[in-house]
Each structure stands twice: as structure tokens, then as C-alpha cells.
Amino acid sequence: MTTNGSKSPAARRPEELYTGSERPFDAEDLVRASGREPTPQSLAWAQRLIEEEGRAALERYLP
């Protein structure tokens, strides 16, 4: 049994949930991972961070 009481945790996990930056991502993904709302300002922030840090920008917010 898992910590959430389910015998098969993968059956309840959404398919789009993933960790790390192994898949392509965009500014909106980074904004949402950081807990912010996707506004024009936050999307611009995320795009700048992606350009500066690459995949490391998203890695800091995902397990």
C-alpha cells in the first residue's frame, strides 16, 4: 500500500505529470511550475529565465 492508501498509485496519476525537464517545455510550463499565474509579465520573466538558464530554469521547480 502506498502513502496515499492506494494499491496502485500510477492508475490515479495523470499521464501529463512528469518530473524534470526531460520533455520540451515552454514559458507557461515554467510559470505554472513556479506557482505563478500566467500573465504577460510572468511569461516574459519565464522566457528570459529559459533563455539564460535553459533546462536548469525548470529543474529548480520540479522534483
Side-chain angles (χ1 to χ4, degrees):
M1 188 168 292
T2 64
T3 57
N4 67 1
S6 171
K7 292 184 179 183
S8 58
R12 293 194 173 141
R13 188 174 305 139
E15 289 182 26
E16 67 274 0
L17 180 65
Y18 61 95
T19 62
S21 60
E22 68 273 3
R23 296 183 185 183
F25 64 94
D26 61 16
E28 185 173 352
D29 296 326
L30 179 55
V31 168
R32 291 187 182 279
S34 69
R36 296 177 170 109
E37 291 294 319
T39 64
Q41 293 83 10
S42 64
L43 292 170
W45 162 81
Q47 189 60 45
R48 280 192 310 275
L49 199 59
I50 290 169
E51 290 169 4
E52 292 172 7
E53 299 183 16
R55 294 187 178 278
L58 187 62
E59 290 288 338
R60 75 174 66 174
Y61 294 106
L62 297 177

